[in-house]
Amino acid sequence: MTIITPLPERPGGGRLTHAPADHPSLPSARVGVVLANLGTPDATDYRSMRRYLSEFLSDKRVVDYPRWKWQPLLQLIILSRRPFKSGEAYRSIWNTEKDESPLLTITREQTRKLAEGLHARFGERVLVDFCMRYGNPSTDSVLRRMQAQGCEKILFFPLYPQYASPTTATANDQAFRTLMELKWQPALRTVPAYFEHPNYIEALASSVCEAYEAATSTPEVLVASYHGVPKRFLLEGDPYHCQCQKTTRLLREHLGWKEGAIQTAFQSKFGPEEWVGPATVEHVAELARQGKRHIAVVSPAFAADCVETLEEIQQEIRDAFLAAGGETFTYVPCLNARDDHIDALLTIVENELAGWL
């Protein structure tokens, strides 16, 4: 005869009213929140860089050429040279104290602060973690760990203010690939782009004001530099370019600046085809040739400083401006773990958790 023993209510989940005495124990039901960022190599040596770049550049969302054409070129030519150059770039910004990339350091701090805010509101019912689309901690490992810890519902938050297929979409793809392999799938929600969220725009504007107040002179132009995408993505329906333009406009309006005071440009071009423009590295040089002596650059598409901002903007793009005759270059750091940025993320998360808590 089977003995049925009542079990206590599981916080955040349903009541297990009856279960046999030998039923395995289950963790308390929780709601998980996962911050997802692009990724980072484990180290800067050739093998680590090649492994990371191979995963990144093999993603069909990033490079959508036919595999039979792209993979031989990638594996035999590009990855024989690019890991050396990329490793050098990462070494110039590497967090040597923690032996990790700045992106990993910052994302961990963002997660810690967000967890503190959510725990103050909801207690232990919410579990917060982060993952990377490429590299570690992997999306698969984090989602599986959260499920094992009792997360029956998970809010998946790609940290990209503007939606793009090579960023937001591939992050979501990877999360759903994990669900495809699970016997017991948690319910999963994804956070939409927040490029026009008033709290995000306000935090962005505050970061610009603080950088201007700390500058020795007032920049003549602010360049909003976004990561670029091939122009055909725009023509095929990707909203990224339009959302970037709107972010720039909303930032300018929030600051109360006249038209032209903030100019939109795009960086990190890769491959031979035409990308959306103007290219940041060329645009800042042209500003110098036009007589602009002091400019500032902000990166609204990046939630955390990374190799594209710390190395590309602060070194390559800065050097292009100075070489063309510019004199003073001010970089406005990403929002990173600023309190107003965390507050904005917290507001977004609480809204997306409606009905779950």
Side-chain angles (χ1 to χ4, degrees):
M1 178 178 178
T2 303
I3 300 175
I4 305 299
T5 306
L7 293 180
E9 184 175 354
R10 299 175 64 203
R15 180 187 294 275
L16 297 179
T17 54
H18 299 91
D22 60 351
H23 192 285
S25 61
L26 294 173
S28 297
R30 291 173 166 178
V31 172
V33 176
V34 180
L35 300 181
N37 216 320
L38 184 74
T40 172
D42 295 324
T44 62
D45 62 278
Y46 174 82
R47 291 190 179 277
S48 297
M49 291 305 310
R50 181 178 178 115
R51 182 168 58 249
Y52 171 72
L53 291 172
S54 180
E55 182 182 10
F56 174 47
L57 296 175
S58 293
D59 186 347
K60 288 285 289 183
R61 290 281 195 183
V62 175
V63 182
D64 59 356
Y65 301 150
R67 184 178 176 82
W68 64 266
K69 180 187 298 185
W70 173 242
Q71 280 299 316
L73 177 64
L74 174 65
Q75 299 297 331
L76 299 177
I77 300 177
I78 296 174
L79 291 181
S80 66
R81 301 191 303 264
R82 192 173 179 88
F84 293 108
K85 182 179 180 180
S86 296
E88 183 179 354
Y90 270 95
R91 278 191 293 276
S92 71
I93 64 162
W94 201 249
N95 183 342
T96 54
E97 181 181 350
K98 293 181 178 294
D99 192 23
E100 62 188 24
S101 74
L103 178 66
L104 182 57
T105 305
I106 295 166
T107 306
R108 184 186 297 108
E109 180 65 7
Q110 290 172 327
T111 304
R112 183 188 68 79
K113 285 191 171 184
L114 184 67
E116 288 179 352
L118 288 172
H119 290 167
R121 176 80 179 273
F122 301 110
E124 296 302 317
R125 289 182 293 165
V126 179
L127 184 65
V128 184
D129 209 336
F130 73 93
C131 69
M132 298 293 176
R133 170 60 183 89
Y134 315 104
N136 296 303
S138 70
T139 302
D140 182 76
S141 66
V142 171
L143 291 179
R144 289 177 183 274
R145 182 169 66 243
M146 295 193 89
Q147 186 202 41
Q149 292 174 308
C151 292
E152 297 178 359
K153 301 172 182 177
I154 295 177
L155 180 68
F156 190 75
F157 193 168
L159 285 179
Y160 308 109
Q162 299 80 18
Y163 173 96
S165 173
T167 53
T168 311
T170 190
N172 291 337
D173 287 348
Q174 195 72 353
F176 284 107
R177 285 190 189 98
T178 294
L179 263 61
M180 289 173 64
E181 298 178 356
L182 295 178
K183 295 296 185 185
W184 184 1
Q185 292 180 333
L188 186 74
R189 289 178 179 174
T190 61
V191 177
Y194 55 99
F195 65 99
E196 58 185 350
H197 195 283
N199 294 42
Y200 159 69
I201 297 296
E202 184 175 358
L204 200 59
S206 295
S207 72
V208 170
C209 290
E210 291 176 14
Y212 272 49
E213 289 171 2
T216 55
S217 61
T218 302
E220 299 163 77
V221 175
L222 174 63
V223 177
S225 181
Y226 300 83
H227 197 292
V229 293
K231 187 175 181 178
R232 63 184 170 84
F233 282 25
L234 169 65
L235 302 178
E236 292 168 355
D238 192 306
Y240 177 72
H241 181 267
C242 298
Q243 292 182 2
C244 291
Q245 297 287 355
K246 188 169 185 179
T247 296
T248 298
R249 177 174 63 80
L250 292 174
L251 174 60
R252 179 182 59 79
E253 291 174 352
H254 189 92
L255 290 168
W257 293 1
K258 63 181 181 180
E259 290 192 27
I262 308 179
Q263 301 179 10
T264 299
F266 298 87
Q267 63 184 87
S268 308
K269 182 180 184 297
F270 176 81
E273 65 180 303
E274 182 181 2
W275 280 39
V276 294
T280 305
V281 68
E282 297 170 2
H283 188 63
V284 298
E286 179 59 27
L287 288 174
R289 287 190 288 269
Q290 292 174 3
K292 306 300 182 185
R293 293 294 170 257
H294 185 182
I295 67 168
V297 176
V298 65
S299 302
F302 298 93
D305 276 306
C306 53
V307 70
E308 284 85 359
T309 63
L310 299 176
E311 192 274 337
E312 186 176 1
I313 291 180
Q314 293 204 69
Q315 296 180 38
E316 179 184 347
I317 291 171
R318 175 183 179 273
D319 290 348
F321 175 70
L322 298 179
E327 296 176 358
T328 307
F329 184 94
T330 296
Y331 173 64
V332 181
C334 292
L335 295 179
N336 295 326
R338 290 171 53 102
D339 288 343
D340 52 4
H341 186 211
I342 301 303
D343 288 343
L345 299 180
L346 186 60
T347 299
I348 294 168
V349 167
E350 288 184 354
N351 181 67
E352 296 300 325
L353 288 175
W356 277 3
L357 292 168

